[in-house]
Amino acid sequence: MQVGVVHEDTDLFTVGQLAKRTGLSARTTRFRADIGAVPPIARSAGGYRLFDVTAIERLESV
């Protein structure tokens, strides 16, 4: 799956921001993204994975 690149500020979160919002560690959040449980919806211009609000809900339910 190819992920789009985002060039402007939106309501998207990096792995670290997502981890802070859910109370999980960045390592756990990254692992769940790697296995496909919480796929990123885009990439930043710097290559960071970006997630939307539904990722927060998915992480809290996994």
Side-chain angles (χ1 to χ4, degrees), residues 20-34:
K20 284 181 185 178
R21 285 182 166 255
T22 60
L24 298 170
S25 69
R27 184 176 185 176
T28 298
T29 303
R30 202 173 295 109
F31 173 76
R32 291 182 181 173
D34 289 345

PDB file of all heavy atoms in Angstrom, residues 20-34:
ATOM      1  N   LYS A  20       1.529   9.482  23.095  1.00  0.00           N
ATOM      2  CA  LYS A  20       1.170  10.350  24.216  1.00  0.00           C
ATOM      3  C   LYS A  20      -0.342  10.409  24.418  1.00  0.00           C
ATOM      4  O   LYS A  20      -0.832  10.384  25.542  1.00  0.00           O
ATOM      5  CB  LYS A  20       1.703  11.764  23.999  1.00  0.00           C
ATOM      6  CG  LYS A  20       3.176  11.896  24.241  1.00  0.00           C
ATOM      7  CD  LYS A  20       3.639  13.318  24.037  1.00  0.00           C
ATOM      8  CE  LYS A  20       5.145  13.422  24.173  1.00  0.00           C
ATOM      9  NZ  LYS A  20       5.626  14.782  23.943  1.00  0.00           N
ATOM     10  N   ARG A  21      -1.087  10.488  23.325  1.00  0.00           N
ATOM     11  CA  ARG A  21      -2.544  10.588  23.421  1.00  0.00           C
ATOM     12  C   ARG A  21      -3.182   9.309  23.950  1.00  0.00           C
ATOM     13  O   ARG A  21      -4.239   9.352  24.552  1.00  0.00           O
ATOM     14  CB  ARG A  21      -3.156  10.936  22.075  1.00  0.00           C
ATOM     15  CG  ARG A  21      -2.947  12.385  21.716  1.00  0.00           C
ATOM     16  CD  ARG A  21      -3.622  12.689  20.400  1.00  0.00           C
ATOM     17  NE  ARG A  21      -3.704  14.121  20.232  1.00  0.00           N
ATOM     18  CZ  ARG A  21      -4.812  14.833  20.384  1.00  0.00           C
ATOM     19  NH1 ARG A  21      -5.934  14.245  20.685  1.00  0.00           N
ATOM     20  NH2 ARG A  21      -4.787  16.132  20.217  1.00  0.00           N
ATOM     21  N   THR A  22      -2.558   8.153  23.692  1.00  0.00           N
ATOM     22  CA  THR A  22      -3.141   6.882  24.113  1.00  0.00           C
ATOM     23  C   THR A  22      -2.551   6.347  25.409  1.00  0.00           C
ATOM     24  O   THR A  22      -3.089   5.412  25.990  1.00  0.00           O
ATOM     25  CB  THR A  22      -2.951   5.814  23.022  1.00  0.00           C
ATOM     26  OG1 THR A  22      -1.557   5.636  22.777  1.00  0.00           O
ATOM     27  CG2 THR A  22      -3.680   6.194  21.752  1.00  0.00           C
ATOM     28  N   GLY A  23      -1.415   6.901  25.837  1.00  0.00           N
ATOM     29  CA  GLY A  23      -0.772   6.408  27.050  1.00  0.00           C
ATOM     30  C   GLY A  23       0.099   5.191  26.798  1.00  0.00           C
ATOM     31  O   GLY A  23       0.631   4.599  27.739  1.00  0.00           O
ATOM     32  N   LEU A  24       0.262   4.804  25.537  1.00  0.00           N
ATOM     33  CA  LEU A  24       1.138   3.693  25.192  1.00  0.00           C
ATOM     34  C   LEU A  24       2.544   4.211  24.930  1.00  0.00           C
ATOM     35  O   LEU A  24       2.733   5.399  24.684  1.00  0.00           O
ATOM     36  CB  LEU A  24       0.621   2.992  23.930  1.00  0.00           C
ATOM     37  CG  LEU A  24      -0.753   2.359  24.025  1.00  0.00           C
ATOM     38  CD1 LEU A  24      -1.233   1.934  22.642  1.00  0.00           C
ATOM     39  CD2 LEU A  24      -0.731   1.170  24.966  1.00  0.00           C
ATOM     40  N   SER A  25       3.502   3.318  24.929  1.00  0.00           N
ATOM     41  CA  SER A  25       4.858   3.740  24.577  1.00  0.00           C
ATOM     42  C   SER A  25       4.950   3.906  23.061  1.00  0.00           C
ATOM     43  O   SER A  25       4.160   3.314  22.307  1.00  0.00           O
ATOM     44  CB  SER A  25       5.882   2.699  25.044  1.00  0.00           C
ATOM     45  OG  SER A  25       5.758   1.513  24.268  1.00  0.00           O
ATOM     46  N   ALA A  26       5.912   4.694  22.620  1.00  0.00           N
ATOM     47  CA  ALA A  26       6.121   4.869  21.182  1.00  0.00           C
ATOM     48  C   ALA A  26       6.504   3.535  20.551  1.00  0.00           C
ATOM     49  O   ALA A  26       6.094   3.233  19.434  1.00  0.00           O
ATOM     50  CB  ALA A  26       7.200   5.915  20.927  1.00  0.00           C
ATOM     51  N   ARG A  27       7.239   2.717  21.281  1.00  0.00           N
ATOM     52  CA  ARG A  27       7.655   1.412  20.770  1.00  0.00           C
ATOM     53  C   ARG A  27       6.450   0.512  20.503  1.00  0.00           C
ATOM     54  O   ARG A  27       6.370  -0.147  19.474  1.00  0.00           O
ATOM     55  CB  ARG A  27       8.604   0.755  21.765  1.00  0.00           C
ATOM     56  CG  ARG A  27       9.168  -0.538  21.291  1.00  0.00           C
ATOM     57  CD  ARG A  27      10.161  -1.092  22.281  1.00  0.00           C
ATOM     58  NE  ARG A  27      10.773  -2.282  21.738  1.00  0.00           N
ATOM     59  CZ  ARG A  27      11.713  -2.937  22.327  1.00  0.00           C
ATOM     60  NH1 ARG A  27      12.184  -2.533  23.489  1.00  0.00           N
ATOM     61  NH2 ARG A  27      12.224  -4.015  21.781  1.00  0.00           N
ATOM     62  N   THR A  28       5.497   0.482  21.434  1.00  0.00           N
ATOM     63  CA  THR A  28       4.285  -0.314  21.263  1.00  0.00           C
ATOM     64  C   THR A  28       3.456   0.212  20.102  1.00  0.00           C
ATOM     65  O   THR A  28       2.956  -0.546  19.275  1.00  0.00           O
ATOM     66  CB  THR A  28       3.444  -0.310  22.553  1.00  0.00           C
ATOM     67  OG1 THR A  28       4.223  -0.908  23.599  1.00  0.00           O
ATOM     68  CG2 THR A  28       2.144  -1.060  22.379  1.00  0.00           C
ATOM     69  N   THR A  29       3.332   1.525  20.011  1.00  0.00           N
ATOM     70  CA  THR A  29       2.572   2.151  18.933  1.00  0.00           C
ATOM     71  C   THR A  29       3.207   1.826  17.590  1.00  0.00           C
ATOM     72  O   THR A  29       2.515   1.454  16.638  1.00  0.00           O
ATOM     73  CB  THR A  29       2.506   3.666  19.148  1.00  0.00           C
ATOM     74  OG1 THR A  29       1.928   3.922  20.430  1.00  0.00           O
ATOM     75  CG2 THR A  29       1.683   4.342  18.078  1.00  0.00           C
ATOM     76  N   ARG A  30       4.523   1.933  17.505  1.00  0.00           N
ATOM     77  CA  ARG A  30       5.250   1.633  16.271  1.00  0.00           C
ATOM     78  C   ARG A  30       5.080   0.162  15.892  1.00  0.00           C
ATOM     79  O   ARG A  30       4.856  -0.166  14.730  1.00  0.00           O
ATOM     80  CB  ARG A  30       6.730   1.967  16.453  1.00  0.00           C
ATOM     81  CG  ARG A  30       7.479   2.198  15.197  1.00  0.00           C
ATOM     82  CD  ARG A  30       8.909   2.706  15.428  1.00  0.00           C
ATOM     83  NE  ARG A  30       8.933   4.028  16.044  1.00  0.00           N
ATOM     84  CZ  ARG A  30       9.306   4.288  17.293  1.00  0.00           C
ATOM     85  NH1 ARG A  30       9.715   3.317  18.082  1.00  0.00           N
ATOM     86  NH2 ARG A  30       9.301   5.513  17.757  1.00  0.00           N
ATOM     87  N   PHE A  31       5.152  -0.733  16.880  1.00  0.00           N
ATOM     88  CA  PHE A  31       4.977  -2.162  16.628  1.00  0.00           C
ATOM     89  C   PHE A  31       3.601  -2.442  16.049  1.00  0.00           C
ATOM     90  O   PHE A  31       3.464  -3.174  15.068  1.00  0.00           O
ATOM     91  CB  PHE A  31       5.180  -2.970  17.915  1.00  0.00           C
ATOM     92  CG  PHE A  31       4.840  -4.424  17.761  1.00  0.00           C
ATOM     93  CD1 PHE A  31       5.716  -5.275  17.101  1.00  0.00           C
ATOM     94  CD2 PHE A  31       3.651  -4.936  18.242  1.00  0.00           C
ATOM     95  CE1 PHE A  31       5.402  -6.619  16.935  1.00  0.00           C
ATOM     96  CE2 PHE A  31       3.330  -6.275  18.084  1.00  0.00           C
ATOM     97  CZ  PHE A  31       4.211  -7.123  17.429  1.00  0.00           C
ATOM     98  N   ARG A  32       2.574  -1.861  16.643  1.00  0.00           N
ATOM     99  CA  ARG A  32       1.208  -2.083  16.152  1.00  0.00           C
ATOM    100  C   ARG A  32       1.021  -1.519  14.753  1.00  0.00           C
ATOM    101  O   ARG A  32       0.279  -2.080  13.949  1.00  0.00           O
ATOM    102  CB  ARG A  32       0.200  -1.509  17.136  1.00  0.00           C
ATOM    103  CG  ARG A  32       0.180  -2.334  18.424  1.00  0.00           C
ATOM    104  CD  ARG A  32      -0.829  -1.858  19.405  1.00  0.00           C
ATOM    105  NE  ARG A  32      -0.770  -2.675  20.617  1.00  0.00           N
ATOM    106  CZ  ARG A  32      -1.450  -2.417  21.710  1.00  0.00           C
ATOM    107  NH1 ARG A  32      -2.256  -1.369  21.758  1.00  0.00           N
ATOM    108  NH2 ARG A  32      -1.337  -3.197  22.750  1.00  0.00           N
ATOM    109  N   ALA A  33       1.705  -0.451  14.440  1.00  0.00           N
ATOM    110  CA  ALA A  33       1.663   0.083  13.077  1.00  0.00           C
ATOM    111  C   ALA A  33       2.388  -0.859  12.115  1.00  0.00           C
ATOM    112  O   ALA A  33       1.913  -1.113  11.009  1.00  0.00           O
ATOM    113  CB  ALA A  33       2.278   1.474  13.036  1.00  0.00           C
ATOM    114  N   ASP A  34       3.515  -1.402  12.548  1.00  0.00           N
ATOM    115  CA  ASP A  34       4.300  -2.304  11.707  1.00  0.00           C
ATOM    116  C   ASP A  34       3.549  -3.578  11.356  1.00  0.00           C
ATOM    117  O   ASP A  34       3.699  -4.106  10.252  1.00  0.00           O
ATOM    118  CB  ASP A  34       5.628  -2.668  12.380  1.00  0.00           C
ATOM    119  CG  ASP A  34       6.617  -1.517  12.420  1.00  0.00           C
ATOM    120  OD1 ASP A  34       6.413  -0.523  11.685  1.00  0.00           O
ATOM    121  OD2 ASP A  34       7.589  -1.617  13.197  1.00  0.00           O
TER     122      ASP A  34
END
